[in-house]
Amino acid sequence: MDGRPGGPRMSAATSPGGPANAGIGAEPSTGGPASGNGGGRRALIVRGGWEGHAPVETTELFRPSLTSAGFSVTVSEDLDVYRDADLLASTDLIVQCWSMGTLTKEQEDGLVSAVHAGTGFAGWHGGMVATFGDSRDYLRMVGGLFLHHPPDFLDYRVTIKPEHAAHPIVCGLPDFDVTTEQYWMLTDGLSTVLAETRIAPQNGGQGGHGGQGGHGGHGGEPLDMPVVWTRRWGAGKVFFSAIGHRLADLTDPVVRTLTERGLLWAAR
């Protein structure tokens, strides 16, 4: 399913910005739509696709921290924004939440070229890895592809990898528990995995051909699966977190903090 709106829709507004990194882990703004200070760095939120991942509500959650960090924010609900080379070249961070979508070749080329040139790219959950499955360069850039998850929410622990505990995205954060979808993904070894979870292959899966055969159709021992990673694509930085099926997942204090930090880390 591709829930792309029928026509282009973009918006931007300005308001005084706060100090850099303000708002990390803070309560969401109760005011109207925020955007930046009319100067400094620029962020582009690209949202749409399957409404089940609440693309508007989840991206709005992180707008205050971006504006507090001095970004002017533009929102697009049309994937053709990825064909606008001038806009992308002047953008320091793209935050994408677009599930179950399809990119044209021109859109894909525009996006991956911009990130390769230095534009940051960040997102969470299906808005980044359960989309654009036919776009190989896009998948190489983000470093993962969703396969399936157990049919019900699971209680599971997310563990910060000790060797990366000093990374600015997770520094000082504890291991934490969540109750949500547990993603099984195809990934590669080029990412820096900051946090992971233990997956039991016998758990029933959704998507692919998991069916009643289990989480991937496998038995055997549990295995580690990445949850949060970063990677480089040319001069650009990429941040991904698997947590974020619903707004409540992202409002968890630890999840919200690491996600906000990840967005800012990825920015040029």
Side-chain angles (χ1 to χ4, degrees), residues 215-267:
H215 205 344
H218 296 282
E221 296 299 316
L223 71 155
D224 294 324
M225 184 65 61
V227 174
V228 179
W229 71 65
T230 64
R231 63 195 279 123
R232 300 303 295 251
W233 180 256
K237 293 186 289 185
V238 176
F239 162 79
F240 169 74
S241 171
I243 305 170
H245 174 73
R246 53 188 176 161
L247 185 62
D249 297 336
L250 293 164
T251 57
D252 173 272
V254 177
V255 175
R256 181 171 180 179
T257 295
L258 74 84
T259 306
E260 289 177 329
R261 290 178 177 180
L263 302 186
L264 297 182
W265 175 88

mmCIF file of all heavy atoms in Angstrom, residues 215-267:
data_model
loop_
_atom_site.group_PDB
_atom_site.id
_atom_site.type_symbol
_atom_site.label_atom_id
_atom_site.label_comp_id
_atom_site.label_asym_id
_atom_site.label_seq_id
_atom_site.Cartn_x
_atom_site.Cartn_y
_atom_site.Cartn_z
ATOM 1 N N HIS A 215 9.251 -16.528 13.504
ATOM 2 C CA HIS A 215 9.907 -15.247 13.226
ATOM 3 C C HIS A 215 10.987 -15.517 12.191
ATOM 4 O O HIS A 215 12.128 -15.792 12.510
ATOM 5 C CB HIS A 215 10.503 -14.717 14.532
ATOM 6 C CG HIS A 215 10.668 -13.239 14.561
ATOM 7 N ND1 HIS A 215 10.626 -12.440 13.447
ATOM 8 C CD2 HIS A 215 10.878 -12.389 15.602
ATOM 9 C CE1 HIS A 215 10.814 -11.180 13.791
ATOM 10 N NE2 HIS A 215 10.968 -11.117 15.086
ATOM 11 N N GLY A 216 10.596 -15.470 10.911
ATOM 12 C CA GLY A 216 11.510 -15.838 9.843
ATOM 13 C C GLY A 216 11.409 -17.302 9.469
ATOM 14 O O GLY A 216 12.131 -17.779 8.610
ATOM 15 N N GLY A 217 10.509 -18.068 10.126
ATOM 16 C CA GLY A 217 10.373 -19.477 9.798
ATOM 17 C C GLY A 217 11.466 -20.345 10.386
ATOM 18 O O GLY A 217 11.626 -21.486 9.995
ATOM 19 N N HIS A 218 12.230 -19.818 11.366
ATOM 20 C CA HIS A 218 13.373 -20.539 11.912
ATOM 21 C C HIS A 218 13.122 -20.945 13.347
ATOM 22 O O HIS A 218 12.434 -20.272 14.095
ATOM 23 C CB HIS A 218 14.632 -19.662 11.872
ATOM 24 C CG HIS A 218 15.069 -19.313 10.484
ATOM 25 N ND1 HIS A 218 15.743 -20.195 9.679
ATOM 26 C CD2 HIS A 218 14.926 -18.178 9.763
ATOM 27 C CE1 HIS A 218 16.001 -19.613 8.514
ATOM 28 N NE2 HIS A 218 15.507 -18.392 8.547
ATOM 29 N N GLY A 219 13.733 -22.050 13.729
ATOM 30 C CA GLY A 219 13.870 -22.395 15.136
ATOM 31 C C GLY A 219 15.259 -21.992 15.572
ATOM 32 O O GLY A 219 15.857 -21.087 15.029
ATOM 33 N N GLY A 220 15.782 -22.677 16.565
ATOM 34 C CA GLY A 220 17.160 -22.427 16.950
ATOM 35 C C GLY A 220 17.309 -21.382 18.027
ATOM 36 O O GLY A 220 16.344 -20.948 18.654
ATOM 37 N N GLU A 221 18.561 -20.968 18.245
ATOM 38 C CA GLU A 221 18.905 -20.082 19.346
ATOM 39 C C GLU A 221 18.522 -18.634 19.037
ATOM 40 O O GLU A 221 18.491 -18.223 17.884
ATOM 41 C CB GLU A 221 20.407 -20.161 19.607
ATOM 42 C CG GLU A 221 20.886 -21.532 20.063
ATOM 43 C CD GLU A 221 20.228 -21.948 21.369
ATOM 44 O OE1 GLU A 221 20.145 -21.087 22.280
ATOM 45 O OE2 GLU A 221 19.791 -23.110 21.466
ATOM 46 N N PRO A 222 18.270 -17.844 20.088
ATOM 47 C CA PRO A 222 18.032 -16.411 19.887
ATOM 48 C C PRO A 222 19.238 -15.749 19.233
ATOM 49 O O PRO A 222 20.364 -16.241 19.320
ATOM 50 C CB PRO A 222 17.813 -15.888 21.309
ATOM 51 C CG PRO A 222 17.386 -17.079 22.099
ATOM 52 C CD PRO A 222 18.125 -18.242 21.489
ATOM 53 N N LEU A 223 18.996 -14.629 18.579
ATOM 54 C CA LEU A 223 20.070 -13.902 17.919
ATOM 55 C C LEU A 223 19.902 -12.417 18.165
ATOM 56 O O LEU A 223 18.815 -11.940 18.481
ATOM 57 C CB LEU A 223 20.090 -14.186 16.417
ATOM 58 C CG LEU A 223 18.956 -13.595 15.564
ATOM 59 C CD1 LEU A 223 19.418 -13.428 14.124
ATOM 60 C CD2 LEU A 223 17.724 -14.506 15.615
ATOM 61 N N ASP A 224 21.021 -11.688 18.041
ATOM 62 C CA ASP A 224 20.995 -10.246 18.218
ATOM 63 C C ASP A 224 20.551 -9.569 16.931
ATOM 64 O O ASP A 224 20.980 -9.946 15.840
ATOM 65 C CB ASP A 224 22.380 -9.733 18.615
ATOM 66 C CG ASP A 224 22.811 -10.228 19.983
ATOM 67 O OD1 ASP A 224 21.938 -10.345 20.858
ATOM 68 O OD2 ASP A 224 24.007 -10.504 20.163
ATOM 69 N N MET A 225 19.688 -8.563 17.078
ATOM 70 C CA MET A 225 19.197 -7.800 15.936
ATOM 71 C C MET A 225 19.419 -6.319 16.214
ATOM 72 O O MET A 225 19.071 -5.832 17.294
ATOM 73 C CB MET A 225 17.704 -8.062 15.710
ATOM 74 C CG MET A 225 17.107 -7.385 14.491
ATOM 75 S SD MET A 225 17.773 -7.985 12.899
ATOM 76 C CE MET A 225 17.297 -9.721 12.957
ATOM 77 N N PRO A 226 20.000 -5.571 15.275
ATOM 78 C CA PRO A 226 20.197 -4.134 15.496
ATOM 79 C C PRO A 226 18.870 -3.407 15.716
ATOM 80 O O PRO A 226 17.860 -3.731 15.090
ATOM 81 C CB PRO A 226 20.870 -3.671 14.205
ATOM 82 C CG PRO A 226 21.489 -4.896 13.623
ATOM 83 C CD PRO A 226 20.570 -6.021 13.995
ATOM 84 N N VAL A 227 18.901 -2.420 16.596
ATOM 85 C CA VAL A 227 17.755 -1.550 16.840
ATOM 86 C C VAL A 227 18.083 -0.108 16.452
ATOM 87 O O VAL A 227 17.274 0.576 15.836
ATOM 88 C CB VAL A 227 17.308 -1.615 18.317
ATOM 89 C CG1 VAL A 227 16.195 -0.598 18.599
ATOM 90 C CG2 VAL A 227 16.829 -3.017 18.667
ATOM 91 N N VAL A 228 19.268 0.354 16.815
ATOM 92 C CA VAL A 228 19.692 1.722 16.508
ATOM 93 C C VAL A 228 21.051 1.654 15.825
ATOM 94 O O VAL A 228 21.962 0.989 16.325
ATOM 95 C CB VAL A 228 19.805 2.581 17.788
ATOM 96 C CG1 VAL A 228 20.268 4.000 17.437
ATOM 97 C CG2 VAL A 228 18.477 2.618 18.533
ATOM 98 N N TRP A 229 21.176 2.324 14.674
ATOM 99 C CA TRP A 229 22.477 2.354 14.019
ATOM 100 C C TRP A 229 22.714 3.694 13.346
ATOM 101 O O TRP A 229 21.794 4.463 13.088
ATOM 102 C CB TRP A 229 22.644 1.210 13.029
ATOM 103 C CG TRP A 229 21.851 1.256 11.749
ATOM 104 C CD1 TRP A 229 21.945 2.153 10.715
ATOM 105 C CD2 TRP A 229 20.845 0.308 11.338
ATOM 106 N NE1 TRP A 229 21.089 1.826 9.694
ATOM 107 C CE2 TRP A 229 20.400 0.700 10.039
ATOM 108 C CE3 TRP A 229 20.302 -0.834 11.920
ATOM 109 C CZ2 TRP A 229 19.430 -0.007 9.341
ATOM 110 C CZ3 TRP A 229 19.334 -1.540 11.226
ATOM 111 C CH2 TRP A 229 18.900 -1.133 9.960
ATOM 112 N N THR A 230 23.999 3.937 13.062
ATOM 113 C CA THR A 230 24.412 5.057 12.231
ATOM 114 C C THR A 230 25.285 4.508 11.116
ATOM 115 O O THR A 230 25.819 3.398 11.203
ATOM 116 C CB THR A 230 25.218 6.102 13.027
ATOM 117 O OG1 THR A 230 26.451 5.510 13.480
ATOM 118 C CG2 THR A 230 24.427 6.611 14.217
ATOM 119 N N ARG A 231 25.416 5.285 10.044
ATOM 120 C CA ARG A 231 26.304 4.905 8.956
ATOM 121 C C ARG A 231 26.631 6.133 8.120
ATOM 122 O O ARG A 231 26.014 7.188 8.280
ATOM 123 C CB ARG A 231 25.724 3.773 8.099
ATOM 124 C CG ARG A 231 24.454 4.108 7.383
ATOM 125 C CD ARG A 231 23.758 2.836 6.878
ATOM 126 N NE ARG A 231 24.282 2.296 5.624
ATOM 127 C CZ ARG A 231 24.744 1.062 5.486
ATOM 128 N NH1 ARG A 231 24.810 0.233 6.502
ATOM 129 N NH2 ARG A 231 25.143 0.620 4.307
ATOM 130 N N ARG A 232 27.604 5.988 7.258
ATOM 131 C CA ARG A 232 27.988 7.071 6.347
ATOM 132 C C ARG A 232 27.579 6.694 4.928
ATOM 133 O O ARG A 232 27.616 5.524 4.533
ATOM 134 C CB ARG A 232 29.499 7.306 6.401
ATOM 135 C CG ARG A 232 30.041 7.689 7.756
ATOM 136 C CD ARG A 232 29.398 8.930 8.333
ATOM 137 N NE ARG A 232 29.664 10.127 7.577
ATOM 138 C CZ ARG A 232 30.452 11.115 7.989
ATOM 139 N NH1 ARG A 232 31.053 11.058 9.166
ATOM 140 N NH2 ARG A 232 30.634 12.187 7.238
ATOM 141 N N TRP A 233 27.175 7.720 4.194
ATOM 142 C CA TRP A 233 26.909 7.556 2.760
ATOM 143 C C TRP A 233 27.619 8.710 2.082
ATOM 144 O O TRP A 233 27.118 9.837 2.070
ATOM 145 C CB TRP A 233 25.414 7.563 2.485
ATOM 146 C CG TRP A 233 25.049 7.406 1.033
ATOM 147 C CD1 TRP A 233 24.618 8.381 0.178
ATOM 148 C CD2 TRP A 233 25.079 6.202 0.261
ATOM 149 N NE1 TRP A 233 24.370 7.875 -1.069
ATOM 150 C CE2 TRP A 233 24.650 6.525 -1.049
ATOM 151 C CE3 TRP A 233 25.426 4.876 0.542
ATOM 152 C CZ2 TRP A 233 24.558 5.582 -2.070
ATOM 153 C CZ3 TRP A 233 25.327 3.935 -0.473
ATOM 154 C CH2 TRP A 233 24.899 4.290 -1.757
ATOM 155 N N GLY A 234 28.815 8.464 1.581
ATOM 156 C CA GLY A 234 29.633 9.553 1.081
ATOM 157 C C GLY A 234 29.937 10.525 2.203
ATOM 158 O O GLY A 234 30.398 10.147 3.276
ATOM 159 N N ALA A 235 29.632 11.803 1.967
ATOM 160 C CA ALA A 235 29.847 12.822 2.989
ATOM 161 C C ALA A 235 28.684 12.935 3.961
ATOM 162 O O ALA A 235 28.763 13.681 4.938
ATOM 163 C CB ALA A 235 30.082 14.176 2.319
ATOM 164 N N GLY A 236 27.598 12.207 3.714
ATOM 165 C CA GLY A 236 26.402 12.320 4.540
ATOM 166 C C GLY A 236 26.376 11.316 5.666
ATOM 167 O O GLY A 236 26.937 10.223 5.582
ATOM 168 N N LYS A 237 25.662 11.667 6.749
ATOM 169 C CA LYS A 237 25.472 10.785 7.897
ATOM 170 C C LYS A 237 24.022 10.305 7.925
ATOM 171 O O LYS A 237 23.097 11.052 7.620
ATOM 172 C CB LYS A 237 25.813 11.519 9.193
ATOM 173 C CG LYS A 237 27.288 11.857 9.322
ATOM 174 C CD LYS A 237 27.619 12.463 10.683
ATOM 175 C CE LYS A 237 27.076 13.861 10.838
ATOM 176 N NZ LYS A 237 27.495 14.481 12.121
ATOM 177 N N VAL A 238 23.854 9.038 8.330
ATOM 178 C CA VAL A 238 22.541 8.399 8.367
ATOM 179 C C VAL A 238 22.292 7.893 9.787
ATOM 180 O O VAL A 238 23.163 7.265 10.395
ATOM 181 C CB VAL A 238 22.468 7.226 7.364
ATOM 182 C CG1 VAL A 238 21.126 6.496 7.481
ATOM 183 C CG2 VAL A 238 22.691 7.734 5.937
ATOM 184 N N PHE A 239 21.098 8.158 10.308
ATOM 185 C CA PHE A 239 20.672 7.643 11.614
ATOM 186 C C PHE A 239 19.369 6.879 11.445
ATOM 187 O O PHE A 239 18.452 7.340 10.763
ATOM 188 C CB PHE A 239 20.458 8.776 12.617
ATOM 189 C CG PHE A 239 19.634 8.373 13.808
ATOM 190 C CD1 PHE A 239 20.210 7.655 14.858
ATOM 191 C CD2 PHE A 239 18.285 8.684 13.889
ATOM 192 C CE1 PHE A 239 19.448 7.260 15.955
ATOM 193 C CE2 PHE A 239 17.514 8.295 14.987
ATOM 194 C CZ PHE A 239 18.097 7.584 16.020
ATOM 195 N N PHE A 240 19.268 5.719 12.121
ATOM 196 C CA PHE A 240 18.038 4.927 12.088
ATOM 197 C C PHE A 240 17.775 4.312 13.448
ATOM 198 O O PHE A 240 18.687 3.827 14.117
ATOM 199 C CB PHE A 240 18.130 3.800 11.051
ATOM 200 C CG PHE A 240 16.995 2.801 11.159
ATOM 201 C CD1 PHE A 240 15.729 3.140 10.726
ATOM 202 C CD2 PHE A 240 17.200 1.554 11.733
ATOM 203 C CE1 PHE A 240 14.667 2.245 10.860
ATOM 204 C CE2 PHE A 240 16.154 0.652 11.858
ATOM 205 C CZ PHE A 240 14.878 0.992 11.418
ATOM 206 N N SER A 241 16.498 4.317 13.859
ATOM 207 C CA SER A 241 16.034 3.575 15.027
ATOM 208 C C SER A 241 14.820 2.754 14.615
ATOM 209 O O SER A 241 13.918 3.267 13.945
ATOM 210 C CB SER A 241 15.642 4.518 16.166
ATOM 211 O OG SER A 241 14.991 3.797 17.210
ATOM 212 N N ALA A 242 14.790 1.490 15.028
ATOM 213 C CA ALA A 242 13.684 0.607 14.662
ATOM 214 C C ALA A 242 12.425 0.877 15.478
ATOM 215 O O ALA A 242 11.356 0.348 15.156
ATOM 216 C CB ALA A 242 14.100 -0.853 14.836
ATOM 217 N N ILE A 243 12.523 1.657 16.535
ATOM 218 C CA ILE A 243 11.383 1.884 17.427
ATOM 219 C C ILE A 243 10.584 3.086 16.944
ATOM 220 O O ILE A 243 11.151 4.148 16.675
ATOM 221 C CB ILE A 243 11.859 2.112 18.868
ATOM 222 C CG1 ILE A 243 12.729 0.945 19.329
ATOM 223 C CG2 ILE A 243 10.675 2.290 19.805
ATOM 224 C CD1 ILE A 243 13.427 1.191 20.648
ATOM 225 N N GLY A 244 9.266 2.919 16.838
ATOM 226 C CA GLY A 244 8.446 4.052 16.408
ATOM 227 C C GLY A 244 7.209 3.659 15.642
ATOM 228 O O GLY A 244 6.728 4.411 14.795
ATOM 229 N N HIS A 245 6.647 2.471 15.940
ATOM 230 C CA HIS A 245 5.427 2.051 15.246
ATOM 231 C C HIS A 245 4.264 3.000 15.522
ATOM 232 O O HIS A 245 3.422 3.234 14.660
ATOM 233 C CB HIS A 245 5.053 0.632 15.678
ATOM 234 C CG HIS A 245 3.748 0.158 15.136
ATOM 235 N ND1 HIS A 245 3.590 -0.198 13.812
ATOM 236 C CD2 HIS A 245 2.526 0.003 15.715
ATOM 237 C CE1 HIS A 245 2.336 -0.568 13.598
ATOM 238 N NE2 HIS A 245 1.666 -0.453 14.737
ATOM 239 N N ARG A 246 4.236 3.550 16.727
ATOM 240 C CA ARG A 246 3.136 4.435 17.131
ATOM 241 C C ARG A 246 3.713 5.596 17.916
ATOM 242 O O ARG A 246 4.853 5.553 18.393
ATOM 243 C CB ARG A 246 2.120 3.661 17.979
ATOM 244 C CG ARG A 246 2.791 2.965 19.140
ATOM 245 C CD ARG A 246 1.900 2.035 19.905
ATOM 246 N NE ARG A 246 2.695 1.364 20.940
ATOM 247 C CZ ARG A 246 2.171 0.771 22.000
ATOM 248 N NH1 ARG A 246 0.866 0.754 22.174
ATOM 249 N NH2 ARG A 246 2.958 0.179 22.886
ATOM 250 N N LEU A 247 2.925 6.625 18.067
ATOM 251 C CA LEU A 247 3.383 7.813 18.770
ATOM 252 C C LEU A 247 3.821 7.485 20.189
ATOM 253 O O LEU A 247 4.824 8.021 20.681
ATOM 254 C CB LEU A 247 2.270 8.866 18.783
ATOM 255 C CG LEU A 247 2.619 10.224 19.388
ATOM 256 C CD1 LEU A 247 3.726 10.907 18.597
ATOM 257 C CD2 LEU A 247 1.371 11.106 19.450
ATOM 258 N N ALA A 248 3.094 6.598 20.868
ATOM 259 C CA ALA A 248 3.434 6.255 22.250
ATOM 260 C C ALA A 248 4.824 5.659 22.367
ATOM 261 O O ALA A 248 5.493 5.829 23.400
ATOM 262 C CB ALA A 248 2.395 5.298 22.825
ATOM 263 N N ASP A 249 5.283 4.938 21.347
ATOM 264 C CA ASP A 249 6.640 4.383 21.393
ATOM 265 C C ASP A 249 7.677 5.496 21.456
ATOM 266 O O ASP A 249 8.688 5.394 22.153
ATOM 267 C CB ASP A 249 6.917 3.527 20.152
ATOM 268 C CG ASP A 249 6.003 2.321 20.047
ATOM 269 O OD1 ASP A 249 5.477 1.878 21.090
ATOM 270 O OD2 ASP A 249 5.808 1.834 18.921
ATOM 271 N N LEU A 250 7.449 6.541 20.701
ATOM 272 C CA LEU A 250 8.430 7.610 20.574
ATOM 273 C C LEU A 250 8.388 8.598 21.728
ATOM 274 O O LEU A 250 9.344 9.359 21.917
ATOM 275 C CB LEU A 250 8.215 8.348 19.251
ATOM 276 C CG LEU A 250 8.515 7.522 17.999
ATOM 277 C CD1 LEU A 250 7.909 8.183 16.768
ATOM 278 C CD2 LEU A 250 10.007 7.320 17.819
ATOM 279 N N THR A 251 7.314 8.614 22.498
ATOM 280 C CA THR A 251 7.242 9.502 23.651
ATOM 281 C C THR A 251 7.860 8.891 24.900
ATOM 282 O O THR A 251 7.999 9.593 25.911
ATOM 283 C CB THR A 251 5.789 9.922 23.947
ATOM 284 O OG1 THR A 251 4.985 8.755 24.143
ATOM 285 C CG2 THR A 251 5.225 10.752 22.808
ATOM 286 N N ASP A 252 8.221 7.602 24.865
ATOM 287 C CA ASP A 252 9.010 7.035 25.955
ATOM 288 C C ASP A 252 10.259 7.901 26.141
ATOM 289 O O ASP A 252 10.940 8.241 25.168
ATOM 290 C CB ASP A 252 9.414 5.600 25.615
ATOM 291 C CG ASP A 252 10.369 5.015 26.640
ATOM 292 O OD1 ASP A 252 11.600 5.189 26.480
ATOM 293 O OD2 ASP A 252 9.888 4.391 27.592
ATOM 294 N N PRO A 253 10.587 8.304 27.376
ATOM 295 C CA PRO A 253 11.668 9.282 27.566
ATOM 296 C C PRO A 253 13.000 8.870 26.966
ATOM 297 O O PRO A 253 13.690 9.707 26.345
ATOM 298 C CB PRO A 253 11.745 9.414 29.090
ATOM 299 C CG PRO A 253 10.379 9.072 29.573
ATOM 300 C CD PRO A 253 9.888 8.008 28.638
ATOM 301 N N VAL A 254 13.401 7.615 27.117
ATOM 302 C CA VAL A 254 14.696 7.195 26.580
ATOM 303 C C VAL A 254 14.640 7.150 25.055
ATOM 304 O O VAL A 254 15.562 7.615 24.372
ATOM 305 C CB VAL A 254 15.123 5.831 27.156
ATOM 306 C CG1 VAL A 254 16.441 5.376 26.534
ATOM 307 C CG2 VAL A 254 15.268 5.907 28.673
ATOM 308 N N VAL A 255 13.555 6.600 24.523
ATOM 309 C CA VAL A 255 13.426 6.519 23.065
ATOM 310 C C VAL A 255 13.395 7.913 22.458
ATOM 311 O O VAL A 255 14.056 8.190 21.442
ATOM 312 C CB VAL A 255 12.156 5.732 22.666
ATOM 313 C CG1 VAL A 255 11.957 5.760 21.157
ATOM 314 C CG2 VAL A 255 12.246 4.297 23.166
ATOM 315 N N ARG A 256 12.662 8.800 23.083
ATOM 316 C CA ARG A 256 12.580 10.158 22.547
ATOM 317 C C ARG A 256 13.937 10.848 22.575
ATOM 318 O O ARG A 256 14.337 11.509 21.610
ATOM 319 C CB ARG A 256 11.556 10.976 23.332
ATOM 320 C CG ARG A 256 11.432 12.381 22.779
ATOM 321 C CD ARG A 256 10.293 13.124 23.398
ATOM 322 N NE ARG A 256 10.216 14.475 22.840
ATOM 323 C CZ ARG A 256 9.296 15.365 23.173
ATOM 324 N NH1 ARG A 256 8.368 15.043 24.052
ATOM 325 N NH2 ARG A 256 9.277 16.554 22.627
ATOM 326 N N THR A 257 14.652 10.682 23.677
ATOM 327 C CA THR A 257 15.963 11.322 23.785
ATOM 328 C C THR A 257 16.924 10.810 22.733
ATOM 329 O O THR A 257 17.586 11.596 22.038
ATOM 330 C CB THR A 257 16.539 11.104 25.191
ATOM 331 O OG1 THR A 257 15.727 11.781 26.154
ATOM 332 C CG2 THR A 257 17.956 11.639 25.292
ATOM 333 N N LEU A 258 17.015 9.476 22.582
ATOM 334 C CA LEU A 258 17.983 8.962 21.597
ATOM 335 C C LEU A 258 17.565 9.321 20.175
ATOM 336 O O LEU A 258 18.421 9.546 19.307
ATOM 337 C CB LEU A 258 18.209 7.462 21.779
ATOM 338 C CG LEU A 258 17.158 6.446 21.344
ATOM 339 C CD1 LEU A 258 17.246 6.104 19.868
ATOM 340 C CD2 LEU A 258 17.310 5.159 22.155
ATOM 341 N N THR A 259 16.261 9.398 19.912
ATOM 342 C CA THR A 259 15.815 9.777 18.574
ATOM 343 C C THR A 259 16.139 11.238 18.287
ATOM 344 O O THR A 259 16.638 11.582 17.209
ATOM 345 C CB THR A 259 14.310 9.515 18.410
ATOM 346 O OG1 THR A 259 14.012 8.147 18.750
ATOM 347 C CG2 THR A 259 13.867 9.768 16.976
ATOM 348 N N GLU A 260 15.849 12.114 19.232
ATOM 349 C CA GLU A 260 16.182 13.533 19.044
ATOM 350 C C GLU A 260 17.683 13.720 18.852
ATOM 351 O O GLU A 260 18.126 14.468 17.980
ATOM 352 C CB GLU A 260 15.693 14.342 20.247
ATOM 353 C CG GLU A 260 14.185 14.480 20.312
ATOM 354 C CD GLU A 260 13.714 15.232 21.545
ATOM 355 O OE1 GLU A 260 14.395 15.148 22.590
ATOM 356 O OE2 GLU A 260 12.670 15.884 21.481
ATOM 357 N N ARG A 261 18.459 13.031 19.658
ATOM 358 C CA ARG A 261 19.911 13.108 19.497
ATOM 359 C C ARG A 261 20.343 12.582 18.133
ATOM 360 O O ARG A 261 21.247 13.137 17.491
ATOM 361 C CB ARG A 261 20.605 12.306 20.591
ATOM 362 C CG ARG A 261 20.527 12.891 21.993
ATOM 363 C CD ARG A 261 21.223 11.953 22.956
ATOM 364 N NE ARG A 261 21.262 12.443 24.325
ATOM 365 C CZ ARG A 261 21.832 11.773 25.309
ATOM 366 N NH1 ARG A 261 22.376 10.579 25.083
ATOM 367 N NH2 ARG A 261 21.841 12.272 26.539
ATOM 368 N N GLY A 262 19.712 11.502 17.673
ATOM 369 C CA GLY A 262 20.061 10.929 16.383
ATOM 370 C C GLY A 262 19.793 11.877 15.232
ATOM 371 O O GLY A 262 20.580 11.988 14.296
ATOM 372 N N LEU A 263 18.651 12.568 15.299
ATOM 373 C CA LEU A 263 18.350 13.531 14.246
ATOM 374 C C LEU A 263 19.411 14.621 14.181
ATOM 375 O O LEU A 263 19.892 14.977 13.098
ATOM 376 C CB LEU A 263 16.975 14.163 14.483
ATOM 377 C CG LEU A 263 15.751 13.231 14.575
ATOM 378 C CD1 LEU A 263 14.470 14.052 14.666
ATOM 379 C CD2 LEU A 263 15.690 12.256 13.406
ATOM 380 N N LEU A 264 19.761 15.168 15.344
ATOM 381 C CA LEU A 264 20.755 16.238 15.373
ATOM 382 C C LEU A 264 22.138 15.736 14.977
ATOM 383 O O LEU A 264 22.903 16.454 14.309
ATOM 384 C CB LEU A 264 20.786 16.880 16.766
ATOM 385 C CG LEU A 264 19.499 17.562 17.220
ATOM 386 C CD1 LEU A 264 19.693 18.189 18.596
ATOM 387 C CD2 LEU A 264 19.017 18.590 16.219
ATOM 388 N N TRP A 265 22.463 14.511 15.375
ATOM 389 C CA TRP A 265 23.771 13.940 15.000
ATOM 390 C C TRP A 265 23.902 13.813 13.490
ATOM 391 O O TRP A 265 24.968 14.075 12.918
ATOM 392 C CB TRP A 265 23.947 12.577 15.657
ATOM 393 C CG TRP A 265 25.202 11.875 15.243
ATOM 394 C CD1 TRP A 265 26.432 11.980 15.818
ATOM 395 C CD2 TRP A 265 25.350 10.989 14.126
ATOM 396 N NE1 TRP A 265 27.346 11.211 15.134
ATOM 397 C CE2 TRP A 265 26.712 10.601 14.085
ATOM 398 C CE3 TRP A 265 24.479 10.493 13.157
ATOM 399 C CZ2 TRP A 265 27.210 9.724 13.114
ATOM 400 C CZ3 TRP A 265 24.967 9.636 12.191
ATOM 401 C CH2 TRP A 265 26.333 9.256 12.175
ATOM 402 N N ALA A 266 22.819 13.411 12.820
ATOM 403 C CA ALA A 266 22.886 13.157 11.380
ATOM 404 C C ALA A 266 23.018 14.439 10.565
ATOM 405 O O ALA A 266 23.491 14.400 9.422
ATOM 406 C CB ALA A 266 21.653 12.380 10.915
ATOM 407 N N ALA A 267 22.612 15.558 11.123
ATOM 408 C CA ALA A 267 22.591 16.803 10.364
ATOM 409 C C ALA A 267 23.992 17.253 9.985
ATOM 410 O O ALA A 267 24.962 17.034 10.712
ATOM 411 C CB ALA A 267 21.898 17.896 11.172
#
